[in-house]
Amino acid sequence: MTELPDLVSLQLLVDVGELGSLGQAARAAGMAQPSASKRIALLERRLGLPLLERTPRGSTLTTEGRMVAGWAAQVLAAAHELTRAARAVRHRGAAHLRVAASMTVAEYLVPRWLGELQRREAGVQVGLDVVNSADVAARVLAGEVELGFVEGPSVPDGLARRVVATDRLVVVVAPGHPWARRRTALRSAELAATPLVVRESGSGTRVTLDVAFTGLRQASPRLELGSNAAVKGAAQAGVAPAVLSGYAVEAELATGRLVEVPLAGVDLARSLHAVWRRGRPLTGPAATLLAIAGPA
């Protein structure tokens, strides 16, 4: 496996572009310029690209360096979101705001929302419970959390809801699977009759799939797994086709580790909802987070 770039080197590269020179980027990082230069040289070797134009007057980004710096900024932003979300999970017992989110929403959307919340309300401490959609709804109804985010097509009575994002489920297979080479779209009846790798009962992904299969003869799952990562791993290993959120497989589809199978005659689009107890309007950080997640 190719060794990945480290975040310090990526930040150096971004700072060279923003500050105008390697020397200033090194000072911003609190390191000597020779050390910064060695880090960038190692990054160039790992990526196989010239990133800096080195002249007697200093070092600036090459064309390739500017492109990589743009991508690096996205990686760094994602790393900061990961850190904020992990902090929220770690501090959930002493939080000012308690939130629960289904796994897909928690993995791919909540970190960005929490980052914006902490920019707007710097003192707020958020506790995040990551569970499946059924458990999110139960915790909101029980008053254990103020706000929840779910993936299912419906929510229980007693909850108010608002659409905060849209998603669609996709069928994915390993590159060596026969479906990866098929030229015709997969029909709903064939998909329903195929043993699949799926999420567990109670997850929003599973509920959406079961609703789409209503009226069709449905095979028992090949595997039922409790996380997106486990489902993806089984699909990549060639165990069986899998059905997952489009958010969950973006990276694997982009790199070719999984292949999307086109569908016909089945609608796997869905809305993602924020939920809270009906009759109890949200206030304070909970209201702010709801506004960040999706407009009214």
Side-chain angles (χ1 to χ4, degrees), residues 208-231:
T208 301
L209 184 62
D210 288 344
V211 169
F213 285 163
T214 300
L216 299 174
R217 181 173 295 179
Q218 186 173 353
S220 298
R222 176 66 54 83
L223 286 176
E224 292 180 303
L225 301 172
S227 72
N228 292 326
V231 174

Side-chain angles (χ1 to χ4, degrees), residues 21-219:
S21 73
L22 180 60
Q24 292 187 62
R27 285 191 289 274
M31 68 175 65
Q33 183 166 337
S35 297
S37 182
K38 288 180 181 178
R39 280 186 171 273
I40 295 296
L42 178 59
L43 183 61
E44 289 176 314
R45 290 196 295 273
R46 286 178 176 170
L47 298 179
L49 293 170
L51 303 176
L52 291 187
E53 182 75 31
R54 296 169 175 83
T55 71
R57 296 185 301 277
S59 299
T60 57
L61 296 181
T62 62
T63 300
E64 296 88 344
R66 287 192 293 272
M67 294 172 62
V68 173
W71 299 326
Q74 298 177 38
V75 172
L76 292 166
H80 288 306
E81 290 172 0
L82 180 154
T83 301
R84 283 189 288 264
R87 186 185 304 118
V89 172
R90 187 172 67 248
H91 292 158
R92 59 185 178 269
H96 303 149
L97 171 63
R98 292 294 303 275
V99 177
S102 61
M103 293 184 184
T104 299
V105 182
E107 289 177 37
Y108 302 101
L109 297 174
V110 167
R112 184 175 71 250
W113 297 341
L114 293 183
E116 179 60 26
L117 175 65
Q118 293 184 337
R119 280 188 285 273
R120 296 188 190 185
E121 301 191 22
V124 68
Q125 188 170 322
V126 180
L128 176 64
D129 294 345
V130 182
V131 291
N132 67 32
S133 291
D135 288 335
V136 171
R139 293 186 188 202
V140 176
L141 282 170
E144 297 174 9
V145 298
E146 295 175 64
L147 182 62
F149 297 98
V150 298
E151 305 163 39
S154 61
V155 300
D157 291 339
L159 293 180
R161 66 177 177 175
R162 178 190 295 178
V163 174
V164 294
T166 57
D167 185 22
R168 68 182 181 95
L169 303 186
V170 295
V171 179
V172 293
V173 295
H177 191 279
W179 284 3
R181 299 182 296 278
R182 66 181 294 148
R183 297 183 179 180
T184 58
L186 184 67
R187 307 295 300 186
S188 56
E190 184 180 359
L191 178 62
T194 301
L196 302 169
V197 182
V198 293
R199 287 287 307 277
E200 79 286 1
S201 295
S203 70
T205 298
R206 179 67 176 277
V207 171
T208 301
L209 184 62
D210 288 344
V211 169
F213 285 163
T214 300
L216 299 174
R217 181 173 295 179
Q218 186 173 353

Side-chain angles (χ1 to χ4, degrees), residues 213-262:
F213 285 163
T214 300
L216 299 174
R217 181 173 295 179
Q218 186 173 353
S220 298
R222 176 66 54 83
L223 286 176
E224 292 180 303
L225 301 172
S227 72
N228 292 326
V231 174
K232 287 191 290 187
Q236 288 178 238
V239 172
V243 180
L244 278 170
S245 161
Y247 287 114
V249 293
E250 281 183 352
E252 288 76 15
L253 293 177
T255 58
R257 287 175 286 171
L258 288 172
V259 177
E260 180 178 353
V261 182

